[in-house]
Structures are given as structure tokens and as C-alpha cells.
Amino acid sequence: MKGIRGFKDILPGEVEKWQYVENEARRVFGLFGFLELRIPLLERTELFARSIGEATDIVGKEMYTFPDRDGDSLTLRPEATTSIMRAYLEHGLNVKEPVGKYFFIGPMFRYERPQKGRYRQFHQIDAEILGVQEAQADAEILVMLMRFLGGLALKNLNLQINSLGDPACRGPYRGEIQKFLRSKSEALCEDCRRRLDTNPLRVFDCKREECQAQLEGAPVVLDFLCEDCRRHFEQVKDMLDTLRLPYGVNPRMVRGLDYYTRTAFEVVAGDLGAQNAVCGGGRYDGLAEEIGGPSVPGIGFAIGVERLVMLLPEEKNYSRYPDVFLAALGKDAQRRGFILAQELRDAGVWVEIDYEGKSLKSQMRKADRLKAPCVVILGEEELKKNRAVLRDMASKAQEEVPFEEILRKVKGKNHGSGAKGR
Ligand code: AMP
């Protein structure tokens, strides 16, 4: 039996990169005061349909939706922002503290065509600032995002920003883009012809080249911003300039979800090929009301972890190695070694052992394979003296050490840290 197409296993060897990325996210987001919030895998389908939008690819054709046993329609979360906002409103977090800064790390599900960088189960690192409408929140979340990505030593990243305005400025724009695209509707795909009536902005989001070609010279929402939206965008850019955070304005970027208002952004990576977006996000000041809550502004981003991991510099070693290998020879030594291993582990040392009673040579080979810096050798002779041989794998030097000194010596060989890399 094999796993499902588009659903990946993440094995040791790769998982260390994931742990590194997740730990860094927790560390950096913590510096900005973001708290972890965990959301369920499933929500009522209606929640996503209302927020992400019926005319989007995600809701139209990518959601994993099924009836529960009692007939309710449920959906595996395709993104996190909607659920985080639902949780925030449902638990009245806005009443206790109107400004909420949250992050979330976990899998998302979309029925897309699997290819390099695109999976059906993929993972996102999400961060959201709820309850702040000022442009400073936009600038702060962008700074946090770029500090995090920069700290991972990723190269060739490009932050692109745009403003999608609000419903007031999108009204007149909608008429213009509809007029423009109607003249080209023959050349558009069936989905986009439908979008022309329901949500013409979505044509920008179409993945087909023939549709993208028709958008040459199309009016962009940036040119239709109302005074307030224009000022907001200017303030965001001004703060990014003040902080010397490089960015480009991309007036054709619309994002694949309907709830975005004003600032929208993406981080694209030069080294990723076709699926080059590492992160997407934006402001969603209307989302809370769309899902039945009061008016709560918000802004956030979602980073694709699979793509991020692909971009990590290869030179860096993300692997972890045991602190010591314990090689025991003979039944009695094995029994004593087993106790010694637990004692060392209780003291915070990563100990690897052999389970099969193999020869010393074979155990040393295993210690080498595992890259243990030292080996504690426990034979019948040493056992009688309550001693063991400690071998340094790099220098090959050996010394006899009384049992009670083993812990101190092993920790010394690991620069006194006990456990490295954790
Ligand atoms: P979105 O929620 O569509 O704005 O996506 C945010 C980020 O999640 C993207 O920039 C990608 O890095 C990642 N992403 C989205 N869909 C997929 C997918 N099917 N497979 C892998 N990563 C994805």
C-alpha cells in the first residue's frame, strides 16, 4: 500500500530542517509578542465559502469537503486565517484584549494538481495581527516576516506589495475591469468567463497562460483607490522605507482569496521555479463581519513550509547526532550498560546503544555511522572494576574511566552542553 498522491511523508534527515524552521518561527514571532493559537483541522464548509469566496479556485474546486455522519458539510481547512478569526470571535478574545497577535503552524489541504512545490497536504506558518487598522501593523508584520526569512539565510527573496482597496473603491474598479475583459471574453477560459460576472478581479488569479495574456494593459485597482486607502498604502510604504525594508509594488497581484482589503503582499523566491511564492498575505478588514462577527480589522501572512525548506542553504547542517554511543560486550555488561544509559539520559545526555549483542567492531561501525563523538566501551573486565573505556572517535584516544566519572567526561566531550543541537 502506498500513501495518497500529494500527501508527503517527512522523514528523519529532512524533518530536522522543519524543526529548525518551526523553532526559529517561534523564537522570532515571540520577540514581536505573537502567541500560539491552535485551530482544528475541520470547520463547517460555510465558514470558508463565505470568507474565501465562492468564485475563488480554493472554494470552487480545491476544498476537501464531505458530509459528516449527521449530514453537516465539513471541510478540511485550506488556510488558517478564517479559523483564527472564528476562534478569536467565538472565545471573545477581542473583549479581553482588542489587539491580538497570534501565530499558528500546521497542515492545510487543497485538492490541487501535485507538482514540485505544490501538494494536497502542505504546511503553513501563519501569523495574524487582529484589531489594529493602522498602517503600522502592516509594516510591523512585514518586518517580522522578512526578519524571519532573512534569519534563515534565504537568498533571492523578493517582497511584492499592492493595495486592493476596500469595497468602496472596488465598486467603480469592478465596472472598469468588467468592461475591459468583456471585450476579450472569447479568449478567456470558461472559469474566467464565469468570474467576469461574479468576481472579475479573480481573472488576475487564473493560472492559465491564455487568460494572463488577455490581461495585458488591463486597469489595476491601485489606480482606483479612494483617499483613505491611498493614504493607508502611502503610510505603509513610508514606514517600510524608514525601516529600509526593500520591496516592489506589483499592481497586478490580487491574491487568491476574496477577503483581502488594502495591503496585499507576496514573497517570491527566484530559486523556486514555477511555484515561486513562499509567502502570501494581506489585510482583511471585512473578514470578521463576513463570518457574522463585529467589525475587526486584521492583517496576516501564511508561509508555505515545503517551499521554505527547499530554499534553506545546503551548506548548513541541520542534523543532530548522539552525544555518546554505549558499546556493551557480553550479557552482564549489557545489563549494566542498560542502567548506565538510563542514568546518562536522566542527566540530559543523548545515548545510543546496540540492541542485538553485536561484536565490538560492528558496534563501533554503528557509532561511526551515527556520528557519535565518543563511545563508552563496557566489557566484562572493565565491569569488574566498575570502570569503562571512553574512546574519543576523532582522536581515537582511549582512557579508562570510573563509572561515576563517565557523565562528567561525556559532557566534557560535548563542550559541556550535554545535548548538542537541541
Ligand atoms: P495562500 O494561502 O494561497 O496565499 O498560500 C500561502 C503560501 O502557502 C504560498 O505562498 C505557498 O508558499 C503555500 N502554498 C499554497 N498552496 C500550496 C500547495 N498546494 N502546496 C504547497 N504550498 C502551498
CSV table of all heavy atoms in Angstrom, one decimal, residues 41-48 63-78:
chain,number,residue,atom,x,y,z
A,41,LEU,N,-8.6,20.9,12.6
A,41,LEU,CA,-8.5,20.6,11.2
A,41,LEU,C,-9.7,20.8,10.4
A,41,LEU,O,-9.7,21.1,9.2
A,41,LEU,CB,-8.1,19.1,11.0
A,41,LEU,CG,-6.7,18.7,11.3
A,41,LEU,CD1,-6.6,17.1,11.3
A,41,LEU,CD2,-5.8,19.2,10.2
A,42,LEU,N,-10.9,20.6,11.0
A,42,LEU,CA,-12.2,20.7,10.3
A,42,LEU,C,-13.0,21.9,10.8
A,42,LEU,O,-12.9,22.3,11.9
A,42,LEU,CB,-13.0,19.5,10.6
A,42,LEU,CG,-12.6,18.2,10.0
A,42,LEU,CD1,-13.4,17.0,10.6
A,42,LEU,CD2,-12.8,18.2,8.5
A,43,GLU,N,-13.7,22.5,9.8
A,43,GLU,CA,-14.6,23.6,10.1
A,43,GLU,C,-15.9,23.3,9.3
A,43,GLU,O,-15.8,22.5,8.3
A,43,GLU,CB,-14.1,25.0,9.7
A,43,GLU,CG,-12.8,25.4,10.4
A,43,GLU,CD,-13.1,26.1,11.8
A,43,GLU,OE1,-14.3,26.2,12.2
A,43,GLU,OE2,-12.1,26.6,12.4
A,44,ARG,N,-16.9,24.0,9.6
A,44,ARG,CA,-18.1,24.0,8.8
A,44,ARG,C,-17.8,24.6,7.4
A,44,ARG,O,-17.1,25.6,7.3
A,44,ARG,CB,-19.2,24.8,9.4
A,44,ARG,CG,-20.2,24.0,10.2
A,44,ARG,CD,-21.3,24.8,10.7
A,44,ARG,NE,-21.0,25.1,12.1
A,44,ARG,CZ,-21.2,24.3,13.1
A,44,ARG,NH1,-21.7,23.0,12.9
A,44,ARG,NH2,-20.9,24.6,14.4
A,45,THR,N,-18.2,23.9,6.3
A,45,THR,CA,-17.8,24.3,5.0
A,45,THR,C,-18.2,25.8,4.7
A,45,THR,O,-17.5,26.6,4.1
A,45,THR,CB,-18.6,23.5,3.9
A,45,THR,OG1,-18.2,22.1,4.2
A,45,THR,CG2,-18.2,23.8,2.5
A,46,GLU,N,-19.4,26.2,5.3
A,46,GLU,CA,-19.9,27.5,5.1
A,46,GLU,C,-18.9,28.6,5.5
A,46,GLU,O,-18.8,29.7,4.9
A,46,GLU,CB,-21.2,27.6,5.9
A,46,GLU,CG,-22.0,28.8,5.6
A,46,GLU,CD,-23.0,29.0,6.8
A,46,GLU,OE1,-23.2,28.1,7.6
A,46,GLU,OE2,-23.6,30.1,6.8
A,47,LEU,N,-18.1,28.3,6.6
A,47,LEU,CA,-17.2,29.3,7.1
A,47,LEU,C,-16.2,29.7,6.0
A,47,LEU,O,-16.0,30.9,5.8
A,47,LEU,CB,-16.5,28.8,8.3
A,47,LEU,CG,-15.4,29.7,8.9
A,47,LEU,CD1,-16.2,30.8,9.7
A,47,LEU,CD2,-14.5,29.0,9.8
A,48,PHE,N,-15.6,28.7,5.3
A,48,PHE,CA,-14.6,29.0,4.3
A,48,PHE,C,-15.3,29.6,3.0
A,48,PHE,O,-14.8,30.5,2.4
A,48,PHE,CB,-13.8,27.8,3.9
A,48,PHE,CG,-13.0,27.2,5.0
A,48,PHE,CD1,-13.2,25.9,5.5
A,48,PHE,CD2,-12.1,28.0,5.7
A,48,PHE,CE1,-12.5,25.4,6.5
A,48,PHE,CE2,-11.3,27.5,6.7
A,48,PHE,CZ,-11.5,26.2,7.2
A,63,MET,N,-11.4,22.4,-2.3
A,63,MET,CA,-11.6,22.1,-0.9
A,63,MET,C,-11.9,20.6,-0.7
A,63,MET,O,-12.6,20.0,-1.5
A,63,MET,CB,-12.7,22.9,-0.3
A,63,MET,CG,-12.3,24.4,-0.2
A,63,MET,SD,-13.1,25.3,1.1
A,63,MET,CE,-14.8,25.1,0.7
A,64,TYR,N,-11.4,20.0,0.4
A,64,TYR,CA,-11.7,18.6,0.8
A,64,TYR,C,-13.0,18.7,1.6
A,64,TYR,O,-12.9,19.0,2.8
A,64,TYR,CB,-10.6,18.0,1.6
A,64,TYR,CG,-9.5,17.4,0.7
A,64,TYR,CD1,-8.5,18.2,0.3
A,64,TYR,CD2,-9.6,16.1,0.3
A,64,TYR,CE1,-7.4,17.7,-0.5
A,64,TYR,CE2,-8.5,15.6,-0.5
A,64,TYR,CZ,-7.5,16.4,-0.9
A,64,TYR,OH,-6.5,15.9,-1.7
A,65,THR,N,-14.1,18.6,1.0
A,65,THR,CA,-15.4,18.8,1.6
A,65,THR,C,-16.2,17.4,1.7
A,65,THR,O,-16.2,16.7,0.7
A,65,THR,CB,-16.2,19.8,0.9
A,65,THR,OG1,-15.5,21.1,1.0
A,65,THR,CG2,-17.6,20.0,1.5
A,66,PHE,N,-16.8,17.1,2.8
A,66,PHE,CA,-17.6,15.9,2.9
A,66,PHE,C,-18.6,16.0,3.9
A,66,PHE,O,-18.5,16.8,4.9
A,66,PHE,CB,-16.6,14.7,3.2
A,66,PHE,CG,-15.9,14.9,4.5
A,66,PHE,CD1,-16.4,14.5,5.7
A,66,PHE,CD2,-14.7,15.6,4.5
A,66,PHE,CE1,-15.7,14.7,6.9
A,66,PHE,CE2,-14.0,15.8,5.7
A,66,PHE,CZ,-14.5,15.3,6.9
A,67,PRO,N,-19.7,15.2,3.8
A,67,PRO,CA,-20.8,15.3,4.8
A,67,PRO,C,-20.4,14.5,6.0
A,67,PRO,O,-19.8,13.4,5.9
A,67,PRO,CB,-22.0,14.7,4.1
A,67,PRO,CG,-21.4,13.8,3.0
A,67,PRO,CD,-20.1,14.3,2.7
A,68,ASP,N,-20.6,15.1,7.2
A,68,ASP,CA,-20.4,14.4,8.5
A,68,ASP,C,-21.5,13.3,8.6
A,68,ASP,O,-22.4,13.3,7.8
A,68,ASP,CB,-20.5,15.4,9.6
A,68,ASP,CG,-19.8,14.9,10.9
A,68,ASP,OD1,-19.3,13.8,10.9
A,68,ASP,OD2,-19.9,15.6,11.9
A,69,ARG,N,-21.4,12.4,9.6
A,69,ARG,CA,-22.4,11.4,9.7
A,69,ARG,C,-23.8,11.9,9.9
A,69,ARG,O,-24.8,11.2,9.6
A,69,ARG,CB,-22.0,10.4,10.8
A,69,ARG,CG,-20.8,9.5,10.4
A,69,ARG,CD,-20.4,8.6,11.5
A,69,ARG,NE,-19.2,7.9,11.1
A,69,ARG,CZ,-19.2,6.8,10.4
A,69,ARG,NH1,-20.3,6.2,10.0
A,69,ARG,NH2,-18.0,6.2,10.1
A,70,ASP,N,-23.9,13.1,10.5
A,70,ASP,CA,-25.2,13.6,10.7
A,70,ASP,C,-25.6,14.6,9.6
A,70,ASP,O,-26.6,15.3,9.7
A,70,ASP,CB,-25.3,14.3,12.1
A,70,ASP,CG,-24.4,15.5,12.2
A,70,ASP,OD1,-23.7,15.8,11.2
A,70,ASP,OD2,-24.3,16.0,13.3
A,71,GLY,N,-24.8,14.6,8.5
A,71,GLY,CA,-25.2,15.4,7.3
A,71,GLY,C,-24.7,16.8,7.2
A,71,GLY,O,-24.8,17.4,6.2
A,72,ASP,N,-24.0,17.3,8.3
A,72,ASP,CA,-23.4,18.6,8.2
A,72,ASP,C,-22.2,18.6,7.2
A,72,ASP,O,-21.5,17.6,7.1
A,72,ASP,CB,-22.7,19.0,9.6
A,72,ASP,CG,-23.7,19.3,10.6
A,72,ASP,OD1,-24.9,19.6,10.2
A,72,ASP,OD2,-23.4,19.3,11.8
A,73,SER,N,-22.1,19.6,6.4
A,73,SER,CA,-21.0,19.7,5.4
A,73,SER,C,-19.7,20.2,6.1
A,73,SER,O,-19.7,21.4,6.6
A,73,SER,CB,-21.4,20.5,4.3
A,73,SER,OG,-20.3,20.6,3.4
A,74,LEU,N,-18.7,19.4,6.2
A,74,LEU,CA,-17.4,19.8,6.8
A,74,LEU,C,-16.3,19.9,5.8
A,74,LEU,O,-16.4,19.3,4.7
A,74,LEU,CB,-17.0,18.8,7.9
A,74,LEU,CG,-18.0,18.6,9.0
A,74,LEU,CD1,-17.4,17.6,10.0
A,74,LEU,CD2,-18.4,19.8,9.7
A,75,THR,N,-15.3,20.8,6.1
A,75,THR,CA,-14.2,20.9,5.2
A,75,THR,C,-12.9,20.9,5.9
A,75,THR,O,-12.7,21.6,7.0
A,75,THR,CB,-14.4,22.3,4.4
A,75,THR,OG1,-15.5,22.2,3.5
A,75,THR,CG2,-13.1,22.6,3.6
A,76,LEU,N,-11.9,20.2,5.4
A,76,LEU,CA,-10.5,20.2,5.9
A,76,LEU,C,-9.9,21.6,5.6
A,76,LEU,O,-10.0,22.1,4.5
A,76,LEU,CB,-9.7,19.2,5.2
A,76,LEU,CG,-9.7,17.8,5.7
A,76,LEU,CD1,-9.0,16.8,4.8
A,76,LEU,CD2,-9.1,17.6,7.1
A,77,ARG,N,-9.4,22.3,6.6
A,77,ARG,CA,-9.0,23.7,6.5
A,77,ARG,C,-8.1,23.9,5.3
A,77,ARG,O,-7.0,23.2,5.2
A,77,ARG,CB,-8.4,24.2,7.8
A,77,ARG,CG,-7.2,23.5,8.1
A,77,ARG,CD,-6.5,24.0,9.4
A,77,ARG,NE,-5.3,23.2,9.6
A,77,ARG,CZ,-4.9,22.7,10.7
A,77,ARG,NH1,-5.5,22.9,11.8
A,77,ARG,NH2,-3.8,22.0,10.7
A,78,PRO,N,-8.4,24.8,4.4
A,78,PRO,CA,-7.5,25.1,3.2
A,78,PRO,C,-6.6,26.2,3.6
A,78,PRO,O,-5.6,26.5,2.8
A,78,PRO,CB,-8.4,25.5,2.1
A,78,PRO,CG,-9.6,26.1,2.8
A,78,PRO,CD,-9.8,25.4,4.2
